[in-house]
Structures are given as structure tokens and as C-alpha cells.
Amino acid sequence: DTAVSQTPKYLVTQMGNDKSIKCEQNLGHDTMYWYKQDSKKFLKIMFSYNNKELIINETVPNRFSPKSPDKAHLNLHINSLELGDSAVYFCASSRPDSTLAKNIQYFGAGTRLSVL
Amino acid sequence: SQQGEEDPQALSIQEGENATMNCSYKTSINNLQWYRQNSGRGLVHLILIRSNEREKHSGRLRVTLDTSKKSSSLLITASRAADTASYFCATPNSGGSNYKLTFGKGTLLTVNP
């Protein structure tokens, strides 16, 4: 009964390849996020979608393209992978009601991407 | 952009001791949150304190907020080995539906048995 699940957990790939990470939440939330955590554990938001619409795009290279087929899913596709893309990517979601509750985010377990 | 900064970066204590972590931020906020991240796992929300609150408790956790100093502290009492994790503060950018959270760099807490 995982609330926010992302696959795969580990992803090892060569430079230049294209890869996707999938995220699904069963919490009924309407806002979903992608974060990147670097080797120093710094967590930075990349994208946020609210009801399938993009609301945050934090100057992420356009090689990264999020796709939200419905409210429960937010997938991340990465083209032409580079060494610097190696990191842990986290999906998260937040509740639809009240301003304060919307701030509380629920995270997936992360996808560790290694670009060789 | 505002950003929480936790200190210390790393803290090592013995089981049973208390652990205190601090967070500073730069702009006005309406609330501040603390999250825990166990090694190899996602972040888990611990506690949220509103800007009109000065202190909040949840089990062995005690959070304080000083908006005049733009700082918060997280106290874990009677620590256990299972409390070993990274702890992050997070502050929101409010306005409309753009509820972005900005996370600090975290404090790595190690509780030795």
C-alpha cells in the first residue's frame, strides 16, 4: 500500500541515452513534484504539476520533460543523459485541501540514477 | 530565493541524549516544516509549525520558531539509534497554487547505541 511509488529504484545507464522514471500516488492528491538530490544531499525542486498542469519549472534543462497523464501519475523523461544528471530523483505529492495541508509533501523512496 | 540552512551539518550523540538541530531562513514565512530522511529512503514529514506558534510538540520532538530571528530548532529527546537520519527544514513559497517548498541542506544525525 505504498502511498507514493516510483520506479525504477536504481537506474544505471550510459551517457547520451534516454530514460524515464515513473511515479504514481494513491493518496488522491492533486499536486505532484519532482526533486533532484545531489551527492551532498541538497534537495532541489525541478517540477510541480497541479491537476495535470505544470505550475513550477525551476530552470531545468529541456532535456527533462515531465508528463502527467492523470492526477495520480507524474513521469519524468530525460533525453541525452549527461554525467551531471547522476543523482537521486524524488517524486512527491501534496493534499488538495487547505493552504496549510498543501504544504505537507509525501515522498517516494527515490530513484538513484547513475550515468556512466 | 529563500533557503533553510541547518546547523550543525552533522551531529553524533549517544543513545538517550538529546539532539538539537537549528534552521535559519531568509524571508517571511507562514509556516516551517521539518522532515526526516533515513539512508536510502524518501523524506518523511515530521512536524509543521505555523508562523504564529512559538513551540510545538509531537512525541519526543519539540520544535521552536522565532520569526524575529528567522530561525527554528528541532529537539529530539531521549534519542534512539533509530533516530539516525538526515533532518531537513523546509519553508514554503506561498501564493496561489504555487506551494513550492525550499529545503535546507540538512543535518546528519548519528545516534550511537
Side-chain angles (χ1 to χ4, degrees), chain A residues 9 33 35 37 41-43 45 55-56 58 90 99-100 102-105 107-109, chain B residues 3 31 33 35 37 40-43 45 48 50 86 88 92 97-101 103:
Chain A
K9 189 169 174 63
Y33 310 81
Y35 287 88
Q37 188 173 46
K41 295 239 173 189
F42 181 54
L43 194 71
I45 190 164
I55 55 172
I56 295 174
E58 286 288 301
F90 287 97
T99 302
L100 214 52
K102 203 177 186 74
N103 277 171
I104 297 173
Q105 296 183 11
F107 283 76
Chain B
Q3 180 175 0
N31 68 80
Q33 302 179 50
Y35 286 77
Q37 183 181 27
R41 307 294 295 272
L43 278 73
H45 177 259
L48 180 151
R50 299 172 193 239
S86 291
F88 296 86
S97 62
N98 190 7
Y99 293 106
K100 182 176 81 168
L101 283 183
F103 287 84

Side-chain angles (χ1 to χ4, degrees), chain A residues 35-107:
Chain A
Y35 287 88
K36 179 179 180 181
Q37 188 173 46
D38 63 23
S39 58
K40 295 184 179 178
K41 295 239 173 189
F42 181 54
L43 194 71
K44 185 172 169 58
I45 190 164
M46 300 172 68
F47 299 103
S48 175
Y49 269 70
N50 184 58
N51 280 321
K52 301 194 298 175
E53 290 193 18
L54 180 68
I55 55 172
I56 295 174
N57 181 342
E58 286 288 301
T59 60
V60 177
N62 57 16
R63 297 183 296 105
F64 291 79
S65 52
K67 286 190 171 48
S68 182
D70 54 58
K71 277 184 10 174
H73 296 84
L74 182 61
N75 303 322
L76 184 64
H77 189 76
I78 315 170
N79 289 328
S80 304
L81 278 156
E82 299 177 357
L83 294 176
D85 297 332
S86 295
V88 183
Y89 292 84
F90 287 97
C91 177
S93 69
S94 62
R95 291 173 63 183
D97 57 5
S98 90
T99 302
L100 214 52
K102 203 177 186 74
N103 277 171
I104 297 173
Q105 296 183 11
Y106 297 77
F107 283 76

